[in-house]
């Protein structure tokens, strides 16, 4: 597996097709939505989430989004995003969402 970054318990990686069911479940979780800073108040369909994940491969909008995977189990636990990157001053906005409530 090609990981972008690995810590002690999790790795960041590109999304895989098998992440879609959990990704859709997590993005539609009411409890999680209350904690997100977003204007998305309506449910995301499986197809919409699939399109969003496919769009992450192009990185043409200056955002870098990764799946978070548990090293021990290989389980997708949610997502991490980096945006508004200023390469000169090395400043960026980092967003982390943990959808699996066991973590």
């Amino acid at each position: 597996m090609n990981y972008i970054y690995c810590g002690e318990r999790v790795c960041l990686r590109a999304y895989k097709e098998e992440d879609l069911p959990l990704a859709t479940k997590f993005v539609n979780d009411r409890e999680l939505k209350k904690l997100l800073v977003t204007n998305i108040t309506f449910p995301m369909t499986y197809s919409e989430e699939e399109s969003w994940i496919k769009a992450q491969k192009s990185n043409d909008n200056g955002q870098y989004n990764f799946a978070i995977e548990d090293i021990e189990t290989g389980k997708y636990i949610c997502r991490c995003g980096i945006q508004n990157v200023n390469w000169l001053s090395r400043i960026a906005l980092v967003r982390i969402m943990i959808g699996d409530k066991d973590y």
Side-chain angles (χ1 to χ4, degrees):
M1 174 62 62
N2 288 331
Y3 294 110
I4 308 303
Y5 173 81
C6 283
E8 292 178 20
R9 297 183 62 196
V10 298
C11 286
L12 300 181
R13 61 163 171 77
Y15 284 93
K16 299 186 287 190
E17 190 173 330
E18 53 265 29
D19 297 333
L20 270 167
L22 282 176
T24 305
K25 175 185 172 187
F26 295 154
V27 80
N28 287 312
D29 184 287
R30 279 187 181 175
E31 238 181 298
L32 287 174
K33 278 193 171 196
K34 289 179 188 176
L35 302 173
L36 297 177
V37 179
T38 181
N39 293 331
I40 302 173
T41 56
F42 51 87
M44 296 288 288
T45 65
Y46 184 91
S47 177
E48 289 168 329
E49 187 67 11
E50 181 178 36
S51 295
W52 183 85
I53 287 175
K54 286 180 180 177
Q56 303 317 300
K57 294 180 181 180
S58 67
N59 285 338
D60 60 1
N61 61 2
Q63 295 187 25
Y64 307 89
N65 292 291
F66 310 102
I68 303 173
E69 181 179 296
D70 180 284
I71 292 173
E72 191 175 305
T73 64
K75 185 178 179 183
Y76 168 80
I77 60 173
C78 221
R79 59 182 60 165
C80 174
I82 302 169
Q83 64 187 55
N84 302 334
V85 178
N86 182 319
W87 296 103
L88 185 60
S89 62
R90 298 179 184 208
I91 296 172
L93 174 64
V94 177
R95 297 173 290 109
I96 300 171
M97 184 172 98
I98 305 298
D100 189 318
K101 295 175 185 167
D102 291 335
Y103 292 86

